[in-house]
Amino acid sequence: MGAYAVKRFLTILPVLVGISLLVFSFIHLIPGDPAVAMLGERATPERVAAVRAQLGLDEPLYRQYFIYLGKVAQGDLGISIIRGDPVLADLVHRFPATVELALSAILLALAVGIPVGIVSAVWRNSLFDGVSRLVALTGVSMPIFWLGLMLAWFFGVELGWLPTGFRLDTDVVIAPVTNFYLLDSLLTWNPPALRSTLRHLILPAAALGTIPLAIIARMTRASLLEVLSQDYIRTAEAKGLPQRAVVLRHAMRNALLPILTVIGLQVGHLLAGAILTETIFSWPGIGLWVYEAIQARDYPIVQGATLFIGTVFVLVNLGTDLFYAVVDPRIAYD
Amino acid sequence: MRRCVRPLIPCLLAGVLTVAAPAPSALAASTFVMGAQGEPVCLDPAIITDGISGKVTNQIFEGLTKYKGATTEVVPALAERWEVSADGTVWTFTLRKNAKFHDGTPFDAKAVVWNFERWRFTKHPQHENQLKAGQTFEYYEGQFGGFDDQSLITKVEAVNPATVRFTLKDPQGPFLANLAMFTFVLASPAAIEKWGTESCKHPVGTGPFRFVEWKPNQEVILEANPAYRDKPAAAKVQRVVIRNIKDSSQRLAALKAGEIHGMEGLNPDDVRVVRADPNLQILLRPTNTTGYVAFNYKVKEFQDKRVRMAVAHAINKQGIVSALYGGTGLAANQFQPPPLWGYNKELKDSPYSGDRARALLREAGFAQGLQEITWEDGRKEPLAFWYMPVSRPYYPNPKEIAEAIAADLAKAGITVKLQTIDWSAYLDKRKKGELPLYMLGWTGDNGDPDNFVCYFFCSPGASREGFYSNKDLAEVLLQAQRLTDQGKRAALYRKAEQMIHDDVARIFIANNQPPLAFSKKVKGYVPNPTNTEYFNTVQVE
C-alpha cells in the first residue's frame, strides 16, 4: 500500500509540469496582445511597449516559461495585471466560495442521486424508474448556463422565492473567519447570515449539481442492479434478512465503490462548471474571477488559477485512487 | 422490498420543500443598490481609466468643476468660481471654504497643489511609487500633454488658502471640461501618503458619500457622508451598494426580482422587456458616443472619393438604427453626437440611395461592382469588412449591424466578406493598418468637441487611424483647441465637421443613447452623457 501510494504520487509530477506547460502555451497562442487588451483602444504605442517590457512580455517565450516556473516553485503566482494584487492571495481568498458551492452541489447530488438510484434499481422498470432515467438523461445533457438562467428566472423572478445571485443579502453582515459563509455564520452564531447563506446557495448548487446528480443516480442504479443479482444477495434474502438490511447494508456497500470513482471524477467537472455557474449567479469564487480575468486577458490570474485547479483535480484523483485502494486492497497489488 | 424504499421519498420531497422559503425581505429604502457590469479596477480616480471604477469614485470624490445634470455644461464644484487671463493661460480658482476630506483633512489650496503635483511630476514620491507599482496617471498625460516639462500646466500655486492659480504653457479650450472629468478629482493628501500604492483600496475624498468596504468580486459599499458641506446636495440615501453582476441577463433578473434598484448595460432586446414591466422604468443616457465605418487609406480604391461616397450612399443608417438599437439609437451624420456644443445642425447627410451608389461606382470605374481591393504595395485581396467581436455603447450588437451594412453594400454592388477577431487583436490590427474597412466608434471623455474630432484628425501627417491625411482640417482643429471662447470654438468645429463630411473621410453610422433600467421606486437618477452620474440626488421610495 505504501509503495503504491509513493508510486502514484510520483506519477503526478510530470502531469503537473505538463499542465503548467499547456496552460502557458495555450494562453500565448491566443491572438492579441495583453498589453493592448489592458490599455484599451486609446493607448499609445509607447505605452504599450512600456507595459510589455514591464510584464516581461518582450522576453522569448521559453524564458518567460522558466521564469514563471521558478516563481511558481516559490509560491509566487505573479501579480494581477489589471489590479496589481498577488494572484495567490486572491486565490486563497476566493477559493472558499467555490469550495462551498462545489461541496453543496455534490452533497445535493449525493442526497438526491443515491436515493433516486436505489429506488430506480429496486423498482426496476417501474414508472418511477422510467421517469427518473428520462430526467437523468435530460440532466446530463442540460447546459449549465441555460439551466442556471432558467432557475434564476423561475425561482427568483417569477416566484420570488430565492435570490438570483450572490452569497448574501445586502443588509446581512457576516464576520469572515474562514470565508466559508456556512461555517462562519455557525462559528459566530449568526442565524440571519446562516439563513441568507443557505437561501443563496440553493439555486447555484442546484444548477451545478444537476449533472453529477444525474450521473450518480444512473451509476447507483446500474451498480446496485449488478450487485443485487449476485449470489450472496440471494443468500441473504433466503436467510430471511429484512429487505432494507439486504439493500442498504449488504448491496449498497459494494455498489458504492464505482460511485466513489464517479464522485472523484466529478470534482473536476464541478470546478469547470463553476465558471459558468458563478458567472450566472454572480458567485464571487474562482470561476467568476477567472472568467473576468480571461476577458481582461489578465495572464497571471488565468495561469495561476488554471494551474491551481489542475493541481486540485490531480490531487483529488490521487486521493480517490488511494481511498479506493484502502477500500479494495486488491488495487494496490496491480 | 417496497417497504424499504418508501422512507426515501420524503427525503426527496424535503429538499423540494426547503426551497419554498418565504419571499425575500425587500431592500431597505435607505439603501440604493446598483448593478454594475463588472468589478472596479481601482478606486484611486487619478489612476483609473474604466467606467465602473469611475462610477464608484464619482460618489466619493469631487473636482474643481463638474458637469451639470444631464449636460456637458461645466459648473463649479470644489471651486466656487474662476477667472481667466485675457491670453487664456492663467486661471485663478476661488475654493469653497467649508469642504473637508472624509479623514478630517481640511480641503484648501495646498491640497489642490499637492494633487496636481502628484499627477504632474514623475519625481513626486507618490507619483514615483505608483509608477513602480505599474500604475500611471494616464488621463493626466492624455489631457494635459504629458508629465514634467511636457505638461501643459506649468505651475500650480496656492495664492492663499482659498485661492489656486494655474499657469498654462498655451491656452487650452477644453481646460474646464478636462478638470470636470472623473479622473481629476481631488484626494486627501494625508490619505494618499498614508496608503501609498494601496490608494486603490482606500479612497478618501470630499464627496457626499464615503467609502466603507470593497468586497472583491462582489460589491463596493458606500455610506452617506454626515459632514457633507452642502446640505441640499447631501445624499438622500444612507447606503449605496454597487454590485458586480457580470452577466446582463442575470442583472436584469436581479432587477426584476427586486435585489437591485438599477442597472446599465441592458441588451437592446431587453429594452422592450423592461418597458413592458410596470415596476420598472427606462432612462436614456444622452448620447455621447458615435459608431463609424472607417476606411483604410492605404487601400487604393478608397483613395478615390467617389468610392467612399458610394459606400456612404449605400448604407441605410436609419434602417439600421430602427431595427437594431432597441429604440435607443439615432442615425449619425457627423462625428460629434448632438448634445455637444460643436455639433453642426446645418450639415446635410448623403441620403440613402443604392442607385446613386451604383452610379458613383460606375463613374469610378467599377461598373461590375467592387469585390476586390488593392493595397498600396500592389497586393490584391477580396474586400473584407471587419466588425468588432464585443459590444460597445456605440455598437450594441456589432455582428447584426455588420450584417445589415454588408447587405446594404451588396445591394449597391459592393461585395464584402465579414470578418472579426478577438478584441485586442482587432485593435492591434487596426493600429497596424491591416483592416481595409472596419467598424469602430468613440465615447466622449469630457464633453468637449476637441475630444472627438481633434483626437482623431489633429495630427497633420496622418490621423490616428486609417492613415487619412488632411492638413487643412488639422489646422482648423488645432486653432479651435487654443481658443478659450466657446462661441468661436464652436464655429470652427462646425466647419471641421463639414470638411470631414465633404471629403467622406469616414462614415458615421449611429449615436446610441445607452439605456439604463431602474425600479420605479428610484427617483432622481440623472444620466449624464459623460457617465459621470452622482448618486446624491437619488431617492428610493
Side-chain angles (χ1 to χ4, degrees), chain A residues 66-78 88:
Chain A
F66 282 114
I67 293 171
Y68 176 68
L69 218 53
K71 285 186 176 163
V72 168
Q74 298 165 33
D76 176 4
L77 292 183
L88 189 64

Side-chain angles (χ1 to χ4, degrees), chain B residues 124-434:
Chain B
H124 188 285
Q126 299 304 330
H127 187 121
E128 215 173 2
N129 66 7
Q130 222 87 46
L131 268 188
K132 279 193 193 127
Q135 298 162 330
T136 177
F137 302 88
E138 231 178 293
Y139 267 112
Y140 187 89
E141 190 179 16
Q143 305 307 114
F144 297 119
F147 306 118
D148 301 318
D149 294 345
Q150 308 263 299
S151 170
L152 177 86
I153 300 173
T154 54
K155 205 166 19 162
V156 187
E157 316 154 82
V159 179
N160 60 49
T163 314
V164 177
R165 187 184 298 142
F166 289 77
T167 310
L168 311 186
K169 219 184 267 175
D170 293 300
Q172 185 188 41
F175 186 60
L176 290 174
N178 278 338
L179 292 184
M181 286 172 68
F182 76 95
T183 186
F184 300 121
V185 291
L186 303 162
S188 157
I192 300 275
E193 266 162 12
K194 178 173 171 198
W195 297 109
T197 52
E198 293 283 286
S199 61
C200 278
K201 295 183 177 73
H202 303 277
V204 180
T206 59
F209 290 96
R210 55 184 191 191
F211 174 72
V212 178
E213 194 190 359
W214 176 358
K215 295 185 193 161
N217 255 195
Q218 302 181 59
E219 58 198 14
V220 179
I221 301 170
L222 312 177
E223 64 179 13
N225 170 11
Y228 191 61
R229 59 169 196 282
D230 183 1
K231 287 291 163 234
K236 313 267 182 297
V237 290
Q238 271 311 304
R239 244 158 60 102
V240 162
V241 181
I242 296 132
R243 290 204 135 177
N244 171 14
I245 309 181
K246 193 84 197 164
D247 183 80
S248 99
S249 313
Q250 208 260 315
R251 233 169 18 249
L252 183 56
L255 180 68
K256 284 184 86 105
E259 291 161 31
I260 58 175
H261 292 121
M263 65 171 277
E264 49 184 340
L266 202 61
N267 286 331
D269 293 341
D270 288 336
V271 173
R272 252 166 265 132
V273 176
V274 176
R275 287 212 161 109
D277 189 323
N279 299 318
L280 301 182
Q281 55 178 329
I282 290 266
L283 296 179
L284 296 182
R285 186 177 273 144
T287 179
N288 188 28
T289 188
T290 306
Y292 54 76
V293 170
F295 299 104
N296 188 331
Y297 287 82
K298 291 204 163 154
V299 170
K300 282 188 178 160
E301 286 78 4
F302 295 147
Q303 291 167 359
D304 187 332
K305 188 176 148 188
R306 289 168 299 188
V307 174
R308 303 201 296 270
M309 196 91 106
V311 176
H313 280 293
I315 301 172
N316 181 1
K317 296 177 188 178
Q318 195 53 56
I320 289 168
V321 166
S322 315
L324 297 169
Y325 278 74
T328 66
L330 307 165
N333 63 4
Q334 57 191 294
F335 205 170
Q336 293 172 71
L340 264 70
W341 47 262
Y343 183 80
N344 187 342
K345 287 195 192 85
E346 315 291 308
L347 200 148
K348 293 270 176 297
D349 202 8
S350 325
Y352 167 54
S353 161
D355 295 341
R356 183 90 190 92
R358 268 187 302 274
L360 280 160
L361 273 186
R362 254 199 315 279
E363 230 176 274
F366 300 99
Q368 304 307 311
L370 182 66
Q371 296 87 25
E372 198 183 54
I373 51 153
T374 321
W375 291 93
E376 267 185 342
D377 60 10
R379 250 180 325 124
K380 281 185 184 294
E381 62 182 38
L383 172 55
F385 178 44
W386 289 72
Y387 65 93
M388 303 140 43
V390 292
S391 90
R392 278 288 178 272
Y394 40 81
Y395 285 132
N397 34 13
K399 184 162 187 269
E400 283 79 3
I401 295 172
E403 281 162 358
I405 293 178
D408 285 345
L409 291 176
K411 275 184 239 158
I414 303 168
T415 319
V416 296
K417 198 173 75 181
L418 284 176
Q419 237 173 308
T420 192
I421 193 169
D422 168 88
W423 183 221
S424 70
Y426 188 92
L427 293 175
D428 200 38
K429 275 178 165 299
R430 182 271 309 242
K431 213 159 263 179
K432 289 185 186 141
E434 291 169 7

Side-chain angles (χ1 to χ4, degrees), chain A residues 83-126:
Chain A
R83 285 188 184 78
D85 300 328
V87 171
L88 189 64
D90 275 7
L91 210 124
V92 169
H93 187 81
R94 287 173 166 93
F95 196 48
T98 302
V99 173
E100 192 168 60
L101 175 60
L103 280 181
S104 311
I106 199 83
L107 284 178
L108 185 80
L110 288 173
V112 182
I114 291 184
V116 167
I118 295 177
V119 175
S120 275
V122 174
W123 282 347
R124 181 156 42 137
N125 295 331
S126 67

